[in-house]
């Protein structure tokens, strides 16, 4: 058995990854440590708890709690670490950066320190089998103009408290590889979307609001560009990196499906109109409102993914239109999942961020 410690496995990408790896690899056992912040949800893995009871173990805990991490390493012989746990929402990092510094920087630091103490870093044969996979983001490279792509060699230029905290954690991870030979690999992925994404992020927020007939808030001129990667494609890429990636290397993971925000929101509206019929005789596009821009809003992200395409043979499989339709379908088929999340704390956040209520009034 390959014992894999997943951090943040109850979040969006983490829960999709836990499900994916357990289905795809029978010789993998997953230990999931998650603090269950507002973004973590046990409901994301109820099927996994049932279907993989013998190969899945959940621990509620904080990655910034070093003693707990030591206990976990004592109890389990950890082979691979897949480190997702983070505060992940840019708008929240602008409203309050402290949690981002605590989890993304200190949390990663404690995880690295625990590995340094518990893994036999001077035993080359043993360490060759270990992996510390740090899940980072394209945002650490900063913002692009209309043309160009970030490669793994692009300089760091983070612009939000979120991306600055992720960049700091990347530097720590790289330093532990360079200094202590910790078996680390870093991946930089573009915007993910798909089932189980918390409705504060663009795509599920628009689906949820469009369903309820609430305004669709598009920041600035709506022309910011993101490259949209279906979460299952990302999970496949991460498994390829775990199995075939090289220690000390970085891999960009993107879909090459760039869209302006407005284009994306309009596509969601059109598909929902087609699927559900017009709302009171009107298209959901009429709900779109341009609102104040995000401070420091990065204009465009785009990744050159030649390295992972060529060296690991990974390519995204899901087309943009297909992925969006699947995602809309999933949210419409799982109204209970959304309703359980859109609770009092989320309402408070929504009010603070958008100055409007989520109940449509
Ligand atoms: P998410 O916000 O949905 O989930 C984060 C998870 O981490 C939650 O389950 C939360 O409870 C847990 N967590 C937070 N603080 C913790 C702590 N101190 N200890 C233990 N667990 C804690 O995030 P996501 O969108 O799934 O992103 C996962 C990772 O991927 C993050 O590191 C993020 O920076 C990175 N990433 C995300 C995207 C994207 O588009 N969502 C793209 C590139 C990279
Ligand atoms: O690029 C990878 C990053 O993608 C990840 O590292 C982050 O964890 C993840 O949250 C995501 O960051 P973004 O800021 O790109 O995603 P978000 O869904 O918040 O916003 C996508 C775009 O949509 C961005 O240009 C801002 C815009 N937007 C977002 C929201 C929530 C709106 O116009 N209106 C909104 O209400």
């Amino acid at each position: 058995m390959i014992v894999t410690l997943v951090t943040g496995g109850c979040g969006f990408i983490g829960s999709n990854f836990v499900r994916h790896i357990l289905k795809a690899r029978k010789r993998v056992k997953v230990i999931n440590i998650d603090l269950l912040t507002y973004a973590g949800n046990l409901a994301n893995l109820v099927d996994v708890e049932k279907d993989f009871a013998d190969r899945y173990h959940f621990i509620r805990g904080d990655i910034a709690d070093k003693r707990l991490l030591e206990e976990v390493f004592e109890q389990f012989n950890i082979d691979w670490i897949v480190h997702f746990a983070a505060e992940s929402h840019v708008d929240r990092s602008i409203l309050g950066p402290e949690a981002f510094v605590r989890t993304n920087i200190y949390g990663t630091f404690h995880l690295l320190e625990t590995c340094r103490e518990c893994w036999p870093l001077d035993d080359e044969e043993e360490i060759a089998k270990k992996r510390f996979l740090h899940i980072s983001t394209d945002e650490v490279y900063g913002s692009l103009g209309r043309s160009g792509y970030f490669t793994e060699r692009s300089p760091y230029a983070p612009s939000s408290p979120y991306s600055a905290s992720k960049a700091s954690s990347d530097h720590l991870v790289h330093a532990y590889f360079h200094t202590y030979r910790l078996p680390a690999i870093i991946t930089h992925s573009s915007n993910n979307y798909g089932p189980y994404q918390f409705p504060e992020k663009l795509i599920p927020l628009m689906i949820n609001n469009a369903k309820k007939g609430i305004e669709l808030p598009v920041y600035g001129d709506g022309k910011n560009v993101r490259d949209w990667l279906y979460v299952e494609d990302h999970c496949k890429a991460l498994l390829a990196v775990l199995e075939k990636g090289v220690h000390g290397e970085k891999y960009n993971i993107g879909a090459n499906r760039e869209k302006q925000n407005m284009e994306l929101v309009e596509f969601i509206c059109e598909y929902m109109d087609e699927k559900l019929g017009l709302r009171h005789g009107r298209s959901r596009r009429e709900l779109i409102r341009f609102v104040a821009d995000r401070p420091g809003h990065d204009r465009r992200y785009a990744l050159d993914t030649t390295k992972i395409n060529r060296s690991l043979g990974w390519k995204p499989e899901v087309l943009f239109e297909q992925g969006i339709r699947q995602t809309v379908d999933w949210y419409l088929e799982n109204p209970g999942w959304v309703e359980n999340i859109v609770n009092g704390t989320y309402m408070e956040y929504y009010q603070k961020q958008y100055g409007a209520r989520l109940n449509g009034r």
Side-chain angles (χ1 to χ4, degrees):
M1 274 292 163
I2 299 174
V3 182
T4 305
L5 177 67
V6 172
T7 71
C10 295
F12 163 49
I13 308 176
S15 60
N16 278 284
F17 178 77
V18 168
R19 182 175 295 102
H20 177 74
I21 197 170
L22 287 170
K23 275 191 189 162
R25 297 290 178 267
K26 296 205 167 28
R27 64 198 170 95
V28 165
K29 177 183 169 110
V30 169
I31 315 298
N32 172 17
I33 177 165
D34 194 302
L35 184 58
L36 299 180
T37 65
Y38 79 92
N41 187 351
L42 284 176
N44 294 3
L45 289 170
V46 270
D47 56 324
V48 165
E49 298 241 12
K50 189 162 61 69
D51 298 345
F52 300 100
D54 52 336
R55 292 193 288 128
Y56 173 73
H57 183 78
F58 174 66
I59 299 166
R60 182 173 191 181
D62 187 347
I63 55 158
D65 178 350
K66 176 105 183 318
R67 193 170 293 175
L68 172 72
L69 293 177
E70 285 162 359
E71 279 169 22
V72 172
F73 272 71
E74 255 165 49
Q75 194 183 345
F76 302 97
N77 187 8
I78 308 289
D79 298 298
W80 292 353
I81 297 178
V82 190
H83 178 32
F84 294 99
E87 289 292 335
S88 71
H89 190 35
V90 174
D91 290 328
R92 285 191 194 247
S93 83
I94 296 167
L95 291 173
E98 194 171 346
F100 290 72
V101 172
R102 186 184 175 279
T103 288
N104 302 2
I105 305 177
Y106 277 103
T108 303
F109 166 67
H110 286 308
L111 200 56
L112 288 166
E113 273 295 271
T114 312
C115 290
R116 186 162 80 89
E117 286 164 18
C118 301
W119 274 354
L121 297 183
D122 44 9
D123 182 336
E124 273 185 32
E125 216 174 293
E126 272 303 299
I127 231 54
K129 294 182 243 159
K130 307 276 190 201
R131 300 278 183 279
F132 185 109
L133 176 53
H134 178 62
I135 311 300
S136 186
T137 167
D138 55 5
E139 299 200 13
V140 296
Y141 299 124
S143 183
L144 284 167
R146 276 170 199 235
S147 59
Y149 295 89
F150 293 122
T151 73
E152 287 82 357
R153 288 169 183 270
S154 297
Y156 276 37
S159 35
S160 71
Y162 162 70
S163 53
S165 68
K166 290 296 287 185
S168 306
S169 64
D170 291 7
H171 288 316
L172 279 172
V173 172
H174 183 70
Y176 273 63
F177 164 74
H178 193 75
T179 309
Y180 306 116
R181 312 314 292 170
L182 193 107
I185 305 178
I186 300 176
T187 55
H188 299 278
S189 113
S190 61
N191 285 61
N192 281 223
Y193 70 103
Y196 302 103
Q197 186 166 32
F198 195 87
E200 67 191 354
K201 304 281 170 67
L202 180 70
I203 291 178
L205 185 140
M206 294 297 164
I207 299 172
N208 193 31
N209 284 16
K211 186 181 152 202
K212 293 188 166 157
I214 303 169
E215 292 184 353
L216 308 177
V218 173
Y219 298 160
D221 63 3
K223 290 189 176 156
N224 299 67
V225 174
R226 298 292 183 265
D227 167 25
W228 294 97
L229 173 65
Y230 194 65
V231 65
E232 214 172 289
D233 276 333
H234 187 193
C235 294
K236 288 180 184 168
L238 295 178
L239 188 51
V241 172
L242 279 168
E243 293 182 334
K244 298 185 270 179
V246 176
H247 290 165
E249 294 289 324
K250 297 175 174 182
Y251 298 90
N252 284 347
I253 307 175
N256 206 4
R257 318 239 189 273
E258 287 182 50
K259 298 284 165 209
Q260 288 190 348
N261 292 338
M262 195 53 188
E263 217 183 321
L264 166 59
V265 175
E266 284 179 338
F267 184 78
I268 292 175
C269 292
E270 274 161 30
Y271 179 59
M272 289 180 75
D273 286 347
E274 190 186 300
K275 193 174 162 83
L276 304 173
L278 296 177
R279 220 179 159 272
H280 308 308
R282 311 178 85 128
S283 167
R284 287 165 182 80
R285 293 162 71 124
E286 292 183 31
L287 295 168
I288 296 174
R289 299 284 179 278
F290 289 105
V291 300
D293 208 353
R294 171 186 280 176
H297 199 174
D298 285 337
R299 194 62 172 170
R300 173 173 168 256
Y301 306 133
L303 292 172
D304 179 334
T305 59
T306 312
K307 181 172 174 178
I308 190 166
N309 300 154
R310 292 208 181 136
S311 64
L312 307 187
W314 173 87
K315 281 205 165 55
E317 292 164 23
V318 179
L319 296 174
F320 174 78
E321 290 75 9
Q322 175 198 353
I324 293 290
R325 287 191 193 107
Q326 276 170 214
T327 305
V328 171
D329 291 350
W330 187 87
Y331 279 90
L332 295 178
E333 282 156 19
N334 292 277
W337 183 89
V338 182
E339 289 314 318
N340 282 337
I341 284 178
V342 182
N343 56 24
T345 1
Y346 182 64
M347 301 279 207
E348 261 171 51
Y349 161 76
Y350 198 90
Q351 171 74 33
K352 218 189 251 178
Q353 176 65 18
Y354 299 96
R357 279 185 217 257
L358 200 50
N359 55 15
R361 270 172 281 139

